[in-house]
Amino acid sequence: MCPTIVPLMRETKKENVVYFTSLLENMKILVATEKPFARKAVEGIRGIVEGAGYELALLEKYTDKAQLLEAVADVDALIVRSDKVTREVIDAAKNLKIVVRAGAGYDNVDLAAATERGIVVMNTPGQNSNAVAELAVAMMIFMARNRFTPGTGTEIQGKTLGIHAYGNVGRLVGRKGKALGMEVVAYDPFITDPAVFEADGVRQVASVEELYRASDYLSLHIPATEQTRGSIGYDLMMSMPAGATLVNTARKEVIDEEGLRRALTERADLKYATDIAAGIQPELDEQFGKRVFATAKKMGAETAEANINAGLAAASQIVDFFKTGNTRFQVNK
Ligand code: 3PG
């Protein structure tokens, strides 16, 4: 439970009308992005923050944790991407009232530490989903065509695409898969209403085992939580059909890397493509060559559109929180 901050309001009366204005003035909002937003997104964030009468500070492409610790010292709000907001960062940010992760997964924020201090943590769900979904589809085709190197590849049309977790990104991957002529199956333990899947013409399966057994391509969209860490490994990969490809645009932590290595060793037909390099990626690359692929740096949300959508949403959510107390996207309620 987070003891939510309720903005203090000043009450004034003019011609018998009562006006309420927020007392949370002179707020300083820091955008701390080791992987910076596109310029247009930063300009948009500045417009929202300064338009609300607040101050914007920028810390981009920082290389040392000490830079972040120094930059947060006097800020009231923080916008980050995958940047690590640890207990140490939160301790160093004495005035901090709100952190917004401009994106979906908030496993990079120490929620317990934030909650203890009464700091509100939000994400911006859905804002960068299309960019990630497009990358997942691109990775399937890239792997099907031997990573664009000479030789005969395969087509994804007519193949079965499995979606593991049918949230914002999963849904978009499913719809794109349908448009490309794939048969789409999905599993999500948190969606019980079959109508969600039916609306997209997607077949809902009853278990994670059934999903992997059916999927020529499996697109992962589960968050990294205590329950999911290391949950995708040897058994699930070994159950996939001949020639199957596992595509990970979610988190590296959900993979049991030793299990993955074993499955790739025992089954020369399996492939793995990821947007978040495994801890053992150099060894995987060396051992499995073209059957594995990792982007040089996580790039799922690296489009101008996603940066603008997520960045502006984060800035608006902070302003709205300070002005009206809106906590709609709070994840540590
Ligand atoms: C997310 O959780 O929103 C994605 O993983 C994007 O992360 P990024 O902002 O670090 O690119």
Side-chain angles (χ1 to χ4, degrees), residues 35 37 81-83 101-107 128 132 249-251 298-302:
K35 194 171 61 181
F37 287 125
R81 296 185 63 177
S82 290
D83 307 77
R101 192 285 190 242
Y106 46 87
D107 46 307
N128 60 16
V132 180
T249 53
R251 290 289 181 270
K298 188 164 74 151
M299 58 173 291
E302 285 292 73

Side-chain angles (χ1 to χ4, degrees), residues 94-230:
K94 299 286 178 234
N95 298 337
L96 193 61
K97 298 162 186 68
I98 178 169
V99 177
V100 180
R101 192 285 190 242
Y106 46 87
D107 46 307
N108 53 319
V109 181
D110 187 330
L111 287 192
T115 304
E116 278 170 32
R117 281 264 313 278
I119 295 166
V120 168
V121 180
M122 296 185 187
N123 64 350
T124 65
Q127 299 291 351
N128 60 16
S129 304
N130 189 64
V132 180
E134 286 191 10
L135 184 74
V137 173
M139 279 181 153
M140 288 193 266
I141 297 175
F142 183 62
M143 297 307 277
R145 295 300 184 96
N146 302 319
R147 300 176 41 175
F148 301 158
T149 58
T152 305
T154 54
E155 297 177 20
I156 61 171
Q157 175 173 267
K159 306 296 189 303
T160 299
L161 164 62
I163 310 285
H164 191 170
Y166 208 61
N168 289 316
V169 184
R171 247 166 253 200
L172 287 167
V173 174
R175 287 176 201 158
K176 291 176 200 305
K178 296 276 303 178
L180 289 163
M182 303 181 89
E183 194 202 324
V184 183
V185 295
Y187 173 74
D188 190 317
F190 301 104
I191 301 178
T192 45
D193 181 3
V196 172
F197 302 93
E198 281 160 20
D200 292 336
V202 165
R203 182 163 64 85
Q204 180 188 14
V205 296
S207 69
V208 83
E209 288 77 17
E210 193 182 337
L211 182 75
Y212 282 70
R213 270 201 307 274
S215 302
D216 298 307
Y217 290 87
L218 191 296
S219 196
L220 262 175
H221 302 292
I222 52 177
T225 63
E226 283 197 0
Q227 291 72 41
T228 63
R229 265 170 227 277

Side-chain angles (χ1 to χ4, degrees), residues 4-22:
T4 306
I5 298 161
V6 179
L8 296 169
M9 301 300 241
R10 177 194 292 130
E11 192 182 319
T12 47
K13 214 171 179 188
K14 202 172 154 197
E15 289 164 11
N16 281 337
V17 181
V18 178
Y19 294 91
F20 292 97
T21 41
S22 172

Side-chain angles (χ1 to χ4, degrees), residues 2 5 7 14 42 47 55 63 66-67 71 81 83 115 130 133 144 147 149 215 256 263 295 303 307 313 322 332:
C2 182
I5 298 161
K14 202 172 154 197
V42 177
E55 182 188 342
T63 47
Q67 294 170 275
R81 296 185 63 177
D83 307 77
T115 304
N130 189 64
R147 300 176 41 175
T149 58
S215 302
D256 164 13
T295 51
T303 65
N307 285 184
F322 283 149
N332 63 335

Side-chain angles (χ1 to χ4, degrees), residues 234-249:
Y234 180 79
D235 291 341
L236 288 175
M237 274 208 84
M238 290 300 282
S239 72
M240 293 178 82
T245 301
L246 179 60
V247 174
N248 183 6
T249 53

